[in-house]
Amino acid sequence: MAVKEFVRIGNVSGAIGDNPHAMATMVADNKIDIVTGDWLSEMNIAWNAIVKKDNPDLGYENGFYTQLEECLDDILAKNIKVITNAGALNTLSLTRKVQELCKKKGHPDVVIASVIGDDISSMIGSPEKRKGLNFPHLDHADQSLGGWELDPMTGNAYIGCRGIVEALNAGADIVIAGRVTDASPVMGAAAWYFQWREDQYDEMAGCLLAAHLIECGAYVTGGNFSGFKEFLPDLVDLAFPIAEVDYQGRCIITRTTIGGGHVTAETVKAQMLYEIQGHLYLNPDVVADLAEVSIQQESENRVRVQGVKGYPPPDTTKVVFFAPGGYQAEATFFINGLDVEQKAFMMRNQLAHSFRNHNFSKFSVEMYGSQVENPESQQAGTVQLRIFVQARQLADIDATKFKVPLFALRMQSYPGYHMHLDFRTMDPKPFMEIYPALMPIEDIKHQVKLSTGRDLDIPPPQKTAKYPFERPSYETANPADLSTFGPTRKAPLGSIAHARSGDKADNTNVGFFVRNDDEYLWLQSYLTIDRLKALFGKDWFKCNPNRKVERVEFKNIRAVHFRVLDNLSGGSASSERIDMLGKGIAEYLRSRHVDVPEQFLKREWI
């Protein structure tokens, strides 16, 4: 294979349910070497566990299959490699389905590889086995899996990219994996293309960041971007991203020529700050130090990213266990007109009385929105009151325990009472809880199974390193006297600061960045851990007010980043919150009014 100076890797999925034609567009429109797609999250891994329990042949993400079916002929004609993690909890079943597709379309010789080893469910076959594992919690060293009150039905370790590399070395055209890390498909693609050694840590670390930047699809081309207004009205059918990775692991982030959106230094900075854990990005293949990352606009829709330092991987990897948590149900009531707070108070009292003897494990009543003065429509003046419950046992949440008591209130409630009429939400449905932990990487049986009949064993990393359990965290080294920035006035923090937030298990991360050096000096000095807590307002007290916050800075992109532990009431699989993934937290914090120097407000607002 003739190796070019760089390899073009296009991502066609950032999550379950992404654009079903992204792969076809990527293949048809661009000179792509390798197509990758990320279909997994903690949330849909949990969903797949429920699905697979009912049907052992399922448990994978069929969205990959439908995309592949649309353009398989073009992919093979152009000799494009395809790598995905859509195998989820049933990699071998999805592989068989893809093999049948290739045969049906007249391509029986396509080599398909399954990368397995992530499923460690056999380790937890009984409570006795589980208690013997003693895997520590990912974020709390004083907790371990053996102390979890629930009985997990599945466990999945995050494995690295070496299985993908060896699958491609063995001639695979399509590589299907399960719970490899989100970055592994892109890392495996580049490591194979340039034949990087395992110990080429700087190259691997640079590619890890490239993967992180494109793995969420349109998030780097204008989606979920706080500066979206400057791109209107062309934020329609957004383009998907491409990473041009060179032999040193540096990259240029660009996009397909078809589709809306833009790749700018700001969209790339926002995505870099998304769902990271601080300066050190731990991965089963490498640890990337992002502290000195440089992000520069090279030309339209082309952004150069470099400056990542690489170190040996840790001797542990993340593993997530999923256990049936019970059942949940919900209902939504609408309140409008005058006296909204008093109407909500009346409803809360009635709910408290109706459910005074409940045996729910969670019981949440939350109002979304607030009263509008002189609204111009009923819709503009309507808020929602959402009731959400969970119970360990079905008998504690069946119709007689939840739906019937709610119905009984409708003729005796507040003036203007009306509710959402999709009553199916009040029927209990199962939910899963997650337990993120750490396990020795050497205990993973990482393997590749090729459609040629060949099996490969993938050894653990030859060299690993120990990293502190506690993540680095610090306030700015030399804070400026805020009075030196001159007069201030109350304005939204987002008038001058971009932000992006997301989730990892029960944690929230949020990164803020500004456009100018003097604004960054102010942001570093102003945005302390205590001020972040204050910005959360009443939300800070919905969880343990003593929960931990970590803070770091990225000077080259003028950013301050926070990780807030235990902030999502259980995380994506079991939280009672509407924003259970924490995607809207950054925008809420940007909307909060703070004392902003007037000299900054004279500039164009974001």
Side-chain angles (χ1 to χ4, degrees):
M1 179 183 69
V3 176
K4 300 177 296 184
E5 183 180 352
F6 58 84
V7 58
R8 281 172 59 88
I9 305 170
N11 180 63
V12 297
S13 177
I16 180 177
D18 213 335
N19 187 327
H21 307 294
M23 191 182 298
T25 300
M26 182 71 69
V27 170
D29 184 51
N30 302 275
K31 296 178 180 178
I32 291 296
D33 299 302
I34 302 166
V35 165
T36 63
D38 178 12
W39 266 267
L40 295 189
S41 69
E42 291 162 344
M43 180 173 64
N44 65 312
I45 284 279
W47 294 346
N48 276 302
I50 295 173
V51 170
K52 188 179 179 183
K53 181 182 178 182
D54 295 334
N55 186 337
D57 290 331
L58 299 179
Y60 55 81
E61 287 301 331
N62 199 57
F64 165 74
Y65 178 88
T66 57
Q67 285 210 42
L68 182 68
E69 184 179 30
E70 182 180 17
C71 57
L72 178 63
D73 294 337
D74 288 343
I75 286 171
L76 298 176
K78 296 181 178 182
N79 197 31
I80 297 171
K81 302 289 187 180
V82 178
I83 309 168
T84 181
N85 62 6
L89 296 184
N90 210 335
T91 298
L92 295 177
S93 185
L94 178 57
T95 299
R96 288 191 293 270
K97 190 172 181 179
V98 172
Q99 285 176 314
E100 293 168 4
L101 172 67
C102 291
K103 291 176 182 176
K104 184 176 71 174
K105 285 184 168 283
H107 308 291
D109 297 328
V110 172
V111 179
I112 305 171
S114 300
V115 178
I116 59 175
D118 58 301
D119 186 351
I120 63 162
S121 302
S122 61
M123 292 186 178
I124 53 171
S126 67
E128 292 73 25
K129 273 189 174 183
R130 174 166 58 88
K131 292 187 187 308
L133 292 177
N134 200 35
F135 290 163
H137 192 282
L138 181 66
D139 299 308
H140 301 286
D142 59 339
Q143 301 176 22
S144 66
L145 179 65
W148 196 23
E149 62 175 329
L150 301 179
D151 292 323
M153 61 186 290
T154 184
N156 290 82
Y158 285 60
I159 58 179
C161 73
R162 282 293 150 186
I164 295 170
V165 174
E166 294 308 319
L168 295 170
N169 282 338
D173 302 296
I174 300 171
V175 182
I176 299 173
R179 185 60 285 184
V180 291
T181 71
D182 293 349
S184 289
V186 174
M187 293 176 68
W192 163 75
Y193 189 83
F194 293 114
Q195 290 294 295
W196 289 331
R197 300 184 315 275
E198 185 180 297
D199 63 354
Q200 289 184 254
Y201 299 124
D202 286 347
E203 291 88 337
M204 293 293 291
C207 189
L208 169 56
L209 180 55
H212 175 77
L213 293 173
I214 69 170
E215 71 193 23
C216 291
Y219 269 18
V220 78
T221 64
N224 193 19
F225 175 52
S226 51
F228 73 103
K229 291 182 295 185
E230 67 178 287
F231 297 155
L232 295 176
D234 74 340
L235 290 179
V236 176
D237 190 18
L238 299 193
F240 273 71
I242 299 166
E244 295 179 354
V245 182
D246 73 12
Y247 68 99
Q248 292 184 302
R250 301 168 301 189
C251 71
I252 290 175
I253 303 300
T254 182
R255 43 153 285 183
T256 57
T257 56
I258 295 175
H262 300 267
V263 176
T264 68
E266 285 71 31
T267 67
V268 173
K269 290 174 186 177
Q271 180 57 23
M272 195 202 93
L273 295 169
Y274 178 65
E275 295 187 347
I276 59 173
Q277 315 300 298
H279 282 160
L280 296 181
Y281 194 134
L282 275 63
N283 177 275
D285 296 298
V286 69
V287 170
D289 185 346
L290 308 179
E292 301 294 330
V293 167
S294 168
I295 298 174
Q296 300 291 333
Q297 193 83 38
E298 185 173 86
S299 58
E300 184 178 6
N301 289 318
R302 293 180 64 82
V303 174
R304 181 172 294 278
V305 181
Q306 55 191 355
V308 187
K309 181 69 177 173
Y311 300 99
D315 59 359
T316 58
T317 190
K318 178 180 175 180
V319 56
V320 177
F321 296 94
F322 300 89
Y327 299 84
Q328 66 187 36
E330 64 181 274
T332 301
F333 298 88
F334 301 102
I335 304 173
N336 70 294
L338 302 174
D339 309 315
V340 166
E341 289 288 345
Q342 291 86 345
K343 291 172 181 175
F345 177 75
M346 177 181 177
M347 189 65 180
R348 289 177 188 272
N349 282 345
Q350 292 183 335
L351 291 167
H353 178 78
S354 296
F355 297 116
R356 62 192 181 279
N357 297 318
H358 76 75
N359 195 29
F360 303 139
S361 55
K362 274 188 182 178
F363 179 44
S364 167
V365 182
E366 292 281 348
M367 188 164 75
Y368 292 86
S370 57
Q371 184 167 325
V372 175
E373 193 74 23
N374 191 26
E376 295 185 355
S377 69
Q378 182 174 341
Q379 290 85 348
T382 298
V383 303
Q384 299 182 38
L385 194 73
R386 179 175 181 253
I387 296 86
F388 179 95
V389 297
Q390 290 178 339
R392 294 300 187 201
Q393 304 300 323
L394 181 60
D396 293 324
I397 197 175
D398 66 14
T400 63
K401 300 294 177 61
F402 185 63
K403 181 188 285 188
V404 171
L406 279 180
F407 270 144
L409 297 178
R410 68 189 188 278
M411 303 302 289
Q412 55 179 285
S413 197
Y414 54 85
Y417 162 97
H418 53 295
M419 69 176 296
H420 199 294
L421 297 180
D422 186 352
F423 300 148
R424 293 171 296 179
T425 65
M426 292 187 282
D427 295 329
K429 62 180 181 179
F431 73 93
M432 305 289 282
E433 291 196 19
I434 64 174
Y435 192 97
L438 291 169
M439 68 173 290
I441 201 165
E442 64 182 12
D443 289 351
I444 294 173
K445 296 179 180 179
H446 194 168
Q447 292 181 308
V448 174
K449 290 185 175 294
L450 292 139
S451 58
T452 59
R454 186 180 175 193
D455 293 347
L456 306 173
D457 291 326
I458 308 302
Q462 296 180 31
K463 181 180 180 181
T464 60
K466 294 279 187 181
Y467 294 90
F469 191 89
E470 296 287 329
R471 301 256 181 184
S473 176
Y474 55 88
E475 303 284 7
T476 200
N478 298 295
D481 180 348
L482 294 177
S483 66
T484 62
F485 293 96
T488 64
R489 63 182 170 94
K490 292 289 185 182
L493 176 60
S495 61
I496 66 166
H498 288 286
R500 172 78 61 86
S501 61
D503 72 305
K504 285 296 179 187
D506 199 17
N507 304 331
T508 295
N509 87 292
V510 56
F512 301 85
F513 64 100
V514 291
R515 298 166 293 181
N516 300 291
D517 290 341
D518 54 353
E519 294 170 351
Y520 184 50
L521 181 58
W522 174 84
L523 187 74
Q524 286 177 293
S525 306
Y526 181 84
L527 206 49
T528 62
I529 289 175
D530 284 343
R531 282 207 174 92
L532 180 82
K533 293 178 180 179
L535 281 177
F536 269 92
K538 293 180 180 179
D539 285 353
W540 186 254
F541 301 96
K542 290 182 178 178
C543 297
N544 179 2
N546 297 316
R547 61 192 181 278
K548 186 177 180 181
V549 179
E550 298 166 352
R551 179 190 186 278
V552 297
E553 298 173 355
F554 296 89
K555 62 183 182 182
N556 290 343
I557 62 170
R558 306 188 190 99
V560 177
H561 179 273
F562 297 89
R563 190 168 78 118
V564 187
L565 277 67
D566 307 318
N567 193 57
L568 295 173
S569 189
S572 61
S574 60
S575 177
E576 76 277 10
R577 299 182 186 177
I578 287 180
D579 187 18
M580 61 177 62
L581 301 176
K583 307 300 185 193
I585 288 175
E587 285 303 296
Y588 163 63
L589 297 176
R590 290 183 68 241
S591 73
R592 298 280 283 160
H593 284 216
V594 300
D595 294 316
V596 181
E598 289 186 353
Q599 60 171 317
F600 302 158
L601 295 174
K602 292 176 182 178
R603 300 165 183 168
E604 184 178 3
W605 285 26
I606 291 174

